[in-house]
Protein backbone atom coordinates (compact mmCIF):
# COMPACT_ATOMS: atom_id res chain seq x y z
CA UNK A 1 0.00 0.00 0.00
CA UNK A 2 1.55 3.27 -1.16
CA UNK A 3 0.13 6.46 0.32
CA UNK A 4 1.00 10.13 0.28
CA UNK A 5 2.37 9.77 3.82
CA UNK A 6 6.05 8.80 3.58
CA UNK A 7 6.33 8.12 7.33
CA UNK A 8 3.37 5.72 7.22
CA UNK A 9 4.76 3.98 4.13
CA UNK A 10 8.14 3.56 5.87
CA UNK A 11 6.46 2.13 8.97
CA UNK A 12 4.53 -0.40 6.87
CA UNK A 13 7.68 -1.28 4.98
CA UNK A 14 9.55 -1.90 8.23
CA UNK A 15 6.72 -4.05 9.59
CA UNK A 16 6.56 -6.01 6.32
CA UNK A 17 10.29 -6.67 6.54
CA UNK A 18 9.96 -7.89 10.14
CA UNK A 19 7.06 -10.13 9.12
CA UNK A 20 9.11 -11.56 6.27
CA UNK A 21 12.06 -12.33 8.56
CA UNK A 22 9.85 -13.87 11.26
CA UNK A 23 8.06 -15.99 8.66
CA UNK A 24 11.43 -17.37 7.60
CA UNK A 25 12.67 -18.22 11.11
CA UNK A 26 9.60 -18.77 13.29
CA UNK A 27 8.97 -22.46 12.51
CA UNK A 28 7.42 -23.98 15.66
CA UNK A 29 8.78 -21.40 18.09
CA UNK A 30 5.74 -20.15 20.06
CA UNK A 31 7.34 -16.84 21.03
CA UNK A 32 8.29 -15.97 17.46
CA UNK A 33 4.89 -17.08 16.19
CA UNK A 34 3.20 -14.83 18.74
CA UNK A 35 5.40 -11.93 17.68
CA UNK A 36 4.48 -12.65 14.06
CA UNK A 37 0.79 -12.67 14.94
CA UNK A 38 1.10 -9.36 16.78
CA UNK A 39 2.95 -7.75 13.88
CA UNK A 40 0.30 -8.93 11.42
CA UNK A 41 -2.48 -7.59 13.62
CA UNK A 42 -0.66 -4.30 14.13
CA UNK A 43 -0.13 -3.86 10.41
CA UNK A 44 -3.78 -4.55 9.71
CA UNK A 45 -4.91 -2.08 12.36
CA UNK A 46 -2.56 0.62 11.06
CA UNK A 47 -3.89 0.20 7.53
CA UNK A 48 -7.50 0.31 8.75
CA UNK A 49 -6.76 3.39 10.86
CA UNK A 50 -5.15 5.16 7.89
CA UNK A 51 -8.14 4.36 5.69
CA UNK A 52 -10.53 5.63 8.38
CA UNK A 53 -8.55 8.85 8.74
CA UNK A 54 -8.80 9.44 4.99
CA UNK A 55 -12.52 8.70 5.08
CA UNK A 56 -13.03 11.21 7.89
CA UNK A 57 -10.92 13.82 6.09
CA UNK A 58 -13.20 13.45 3.07
CA UNK A 59 -16.23 14.13 5.28
CA UNK A 60 -14.82 17.36 6.69
CA UNK A 61 -15.68 20.44 4.70
CA UNK A 62 -12.37 22.26 4.32
CA UNK A 63 -14.16 25.65 4.46
CA UNK A 64 -15.55 24.84 7.91
CA UNK A 65 -12.31 23.35 9.22
CA UNK A 66 -10.98 26.77 10.24
CA UNK A 67 -14.18 27.49 12.18
CA UNK A 68 -13.87 24.25 14.16
CA UNK A 69 -10.20 24.89 14.87
CA UNK A 70 -11.01 28.37 16.17
CA UNK A 71 -13.71 26.97 18.47
CA UNK A 72 -11.31 24.34 19.84
CA UNK A 73 -8.61 26.98 20.39
CA UNK A 74 -11.11 29.24 22.14
CA UNK A 75 -12.25 26.43 24.45
CA UNK A 76 -8.63 25.57 25.27
CA UNK A 77 -7.93 29.21 26.16
CA UNK A 78 -10.94 29.34 28.47
CA UNK A 79 -9.86 26.22 30.36
Amino acid sequence: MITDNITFDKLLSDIDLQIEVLNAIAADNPILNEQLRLLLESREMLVLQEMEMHRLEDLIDQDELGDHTAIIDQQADEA
Side-chain angles (χ1 to χ4, degrees):
M1 175 177 191
I2 305 272
T3 67
D4 57 351
N5 185 338
I6 295 171
T7 304
F8 180 74
D9 291 340
K10 176 70 172 130
L11 177 62
L12 283 186
S13 175
D14 289 348
I15 290 173
D16 288 341
L17 182 58
Q18 290 179 38
I19 289 170
E20 185 178 330
V21 169
L22 279 175
N23 265 329
I25 64 172
D28 292 331
N29 185 314
I31 294 172
L32 293 179
N33 280 315
E34 180 65 11
Q35 181 67 30
L36 180 59
R37 183 187 69 76
L38 292 172
L39 280 171
L40 289 166
E41 283 182 16
S42 297
R43 186 188 191 287
E44 181 180 346
M45 292 305 295
L46 285 168
V47 170
L48 291 174
Q49 182 181 23
E50 182 74 7
M51 289 177 10
E52 182 67 8
M53 286 172 35
H54 285 293
R55 185 187 73 79
L56 292 172
E57 286 173 358
D58 291 341
L59 293 176
I60 296 173
D61 183 5
Q62 292 300 321
D63 295 333
E64 293 180 11
L65 184 59
D67 296 338
H68 294 297
T69 304
I71 291 170
I72 292 170
D73 289 340
Q74 180 184 14
Q75 290 174 347
D77 291 340
E78 290 173 359

